Amino acid sequence: SIRLSPAARSLFDEPLAIAVQGLGPRQQVMLRTSLRDETGELFQACARYQAGDDGELDLARCPALPGGSFSGLEPMGLLWALQPQKPFWYMMKKDVQSPFVLQLEVFEGHGEPPGRLLAQAQHERAFLRDGVQRVPVREGRIRATLFLPPGEDPFPGIIDIHGLGGGLFEHRASLLANHGFATLALAYYQYEDLPQKPSELHLEYFEEAVNYMLQHPQVKGPGVGLLGYSKGADLSLAMAAFLKNITAVASLNGPVAITAIPLSYKDKTISPLTIDERQVKVIDSNILDCSDVLIDPFQAPGNQSLIPLEKAEAQLLFIAGQDDRVVKSEYYATEVCKLLQARGKENFQILSYPGTGHCIDPPFFPLYPIGNHPIFHKRAVLGGVLGAYSKAQVHAWPQIQAFFNKHL
């Protein structure tokens, strides 16, 4: 039998303890996990194990043997190593009110195809803890979803801003709310009645979201935090430079200059970083490598795209994947912090992760190393390798929470 702890349901970003009981002494088995996303696409991982002398197999104590999706002592390997059966597929969670269902199976032996099925179990991986409220927000121009933790006290407030591609993404905001943050997942284009293809973005829209949060009775002021990913990170950094009441910003693989779409505020417009399309390389079967297409904002003479971060009062946390092939996020973070240091500022820190690509999600989301490039709309290398990337997500997530807890 399979023993899971928690038994029936856990949060998606929580560890899950997996053990198998009642095997023969030193019996060889294969464990397999399967999960279908909301579009019906299948993700799977498998690992080879050998039970102990007592017929017990505890993944926290038994290393996986070579030949599966991973090897070594990896208690959560069967979750972080899940990979799509359809190439280049991203695991999406649109409806955070329903859990993902994880299937676990134990097969006899290490053969291919798998041997006899010995045991199976189901487990729900949820995005909302009991009592967390999901509130759709349609206030003025704002299109968003607010997640409120259980309880009457005001909570530290965070606005979560996603990257290029438009739409509304709730997976990160919902998981953060489980940890005690009032979190607003904010859409800014290609959603409901927001512009489909904006020729420019207006910082006033984001300012409206900040004001909405600060007037909310369950958001503890006097300022809010921002969690921005990719394009959402350059927007968050610009908000910190130009708007009031931004206390802390966490940038996930963010540029430190405006990218892709001009940004205007009051009577000023910042044009985006120039793209040098000659730097696009084509690697096998029409997959692009666009790691060098953005011109260097620190080398460009009089570059107007660089965000004037020296104006920001907020605490800044830069999280960078060293194998980010969309934005040179580690280089950007390092260079901008040198500039801040030269101005006598100390309001920044960098967390930099080897083997980690552009996509940094909460823990246990599958590796997404090749995906749709947000500007060229073709498949492109995003970067990252399985084990290192998964460890980075597990490490960064509590660091982000500790950062916001400290400064909010």
Side-chain angles (χ1 to χ4, degrees):
S1 66
I2 298 173
R3 190 180 73 233
L4 301 173
S5 176
R9 188 181 174 105
S10 55
L11 291 171
F12 193 88
D13 60 347
E14 278 183 340
L16 175 65
I18 303 172
V20 184
Q21 294 170 310
L23 296 169
R26 308 192 70 72
Q27 184 175 352
Q28 294 195 331
V29 288
M30 187 182 89
L31 271 60
R32 184 171 73 186
T33 42
S34 309
L35 183 156
R36 283 195 186 276
D37 75 3
E38 290 163 329
T39 63
E41 289 301 332
L42 179 65
F43 289 74
Q44 281 190 323
C46 68
R48 296 173 173 187
Y49 285 98
Q50 183 170 324
D53 292 330
D54 55 359
E56 289 267 329
L57 171 59
D58 182 347
L59 270 55
R61 294 202 297 270
C62 283
L65 305 171
S69 305
F70 59 92
S71 61
L73 188 63
E74 295 288 355
M76 288 295 286
L78 286 167
L79 285 105
W80 61 246
L82 284 166
Q83 283 291 278
Q85 301 303 290
K86 182 179 185 176
F88 318 124
W89 192 256
Y90 178 64
M91 185 187 280
M92 188 67 80
K93 192 67 176 118
K94 286 280 191 198
D95 175 14
V96 296
Q97 296 178 99
S98 69
F100 276 137
V101 178
L102 185 71
Q103 305 274 359
L104 288 99
E105 296 164 299
V106 182
F107 297 98
E108 194 169 54
H110 289 165
E112 285 290 339
R116 188 166 60 97
L117 179 67
L118 301 176
Q120 57 183 329
Q122 270 199 354
H123 185 84
E124 291 187 344
R125 297 287 278 170
F127 284 76
L128 294 177
R129 189 186 287 292
D130 287 347
V132 173
Q133 290 178 61
R134 178 185 176 276
V135 185
V137 177
R138 306 288 175 273
E139 290 265 334
R141 289 177 301 176
I142 304 170
R143 300 294 174 263
T145 305
L146 179 63
F147 292 93
L148 291 169
E152 293 305 303
D153 293 338
F155 303 98
I158 297 172
I159 301 175
D160 179 22
I161 307 177
H162 215 271
L164 280 181
L168 180 62
F169 292 86
E170 299 182 0
H171 63 284
R172 195 165 40 224
S174 63
L175 290 171
L176 269 177
N178 299 323
H179 296 281
F181 299 97
T183 314
L184 187 76
L186 181 67
Y188 55 99
Y189 76 107
Q190 244 175 58
Y191 181 73
E192 292 186 354
D193 56 354
L194 293 173
Q196 283 301 305
K197 290 192 171 168
S199 54
E200 64 177 18
L201 295 170
H202 300 275
L203 212 46
E204 284 84 353
Y205 174 80
F206 299 91
E207 189 169 33
E208 211 173 303
V210 172
N211 294 335
Y212 167 80
M213 287 294 274
L214 288 175
Q215 59 76 38
H216 196 286
Q218 280 184 275
V219 174
K220 174 178 146 185
V224 295
L226 307 175
L227 176 57
Y229 161 66
S230 191
K231 173 67 190 168
D234 78 49
L235 289 166
S236 299
L237 294 168
M239 289 165 75
F242 293 107
L243 306 180
K244 292 191 202 52
N245 303 320
I246 310 293
T247 307
V249 179
S251 155
L252 289 169
N253 280 337
V256 292
I258 297 303
T259 54
I261 307 169
L263 182 68
S264 74
Y265 184 53
K266 296 181 175 162
D267 50 4
K268 181 179 170 64
T269 299
I270 304 179
S271 54
L273 264 189
T274 312
I275 285 175
D276 183 355
E277 295 197 14
R278 294 166 309 178
Q279 298 297 330
V280 176
K281 301 181 204 54
V282 179
I283 51 182
D284 59 341
S285 65
N286 294 332
I287 293 169
L288 306 180
D289 179 350
C290 304
S291 33
D292 295 321
V293 299
L294 288 173
I295 67 154
D296 186 332
F298 299 98
Q299 302 299 330
N303 188 345
Q304 301 304 300
S305 306
L306 207 55
I307 297 162
L309 270 179
E310 65 279 359
K311 293 183 179 174
E313 297 291 312
Q315 292 293 321
L316 308 172
L317 171 64
F318 295 95
I319 293 175
Q322 292 175 19
D323 191 33
D324 183 350
R325 307 285 279 279
V326 177
V327 172
K328 292 195 162 134
S329 42
E330 188 189 30
Y331 168 72
Y332 286 172
T334 310
E335 290 301 308
V336 86
C337 290
K338 280 183 198 163
L339 290 180
L340 291 173
Q341 207 163 10
R343 299 278 178 109
K345 297 218 146 200
E346 294 175 351
N347 59 333
F348 54 85
Q349 64 188 102
I350 301 175
L351 287 175
S352 176
Y353 294 101
T356 300
H358 187 62
C359 199
I360 298 183
D361 268 317
F364 315 122
F365 268 88
L367 171 66
Y368 186 52
I370 293 175
N372 197 29
H373 193 280
I375 292 170
F376 298 107
H377 304 296
K378 291 197 173 109
R379 284 206 176 116
V381 182
L382 307 180
V385 292
L386 186 58
Y389 165 88
S390 310
K391 284 184 172 62
Q393 294 194 152
V394 168
H395 185 271
W397 189 234
Q399 299 285 330
I400 292 167
Q401 293 163 44
F403 170 74
F404 285 128
N405 271 319
K406 180 178 176 184
H407 299 296
L408 298 177

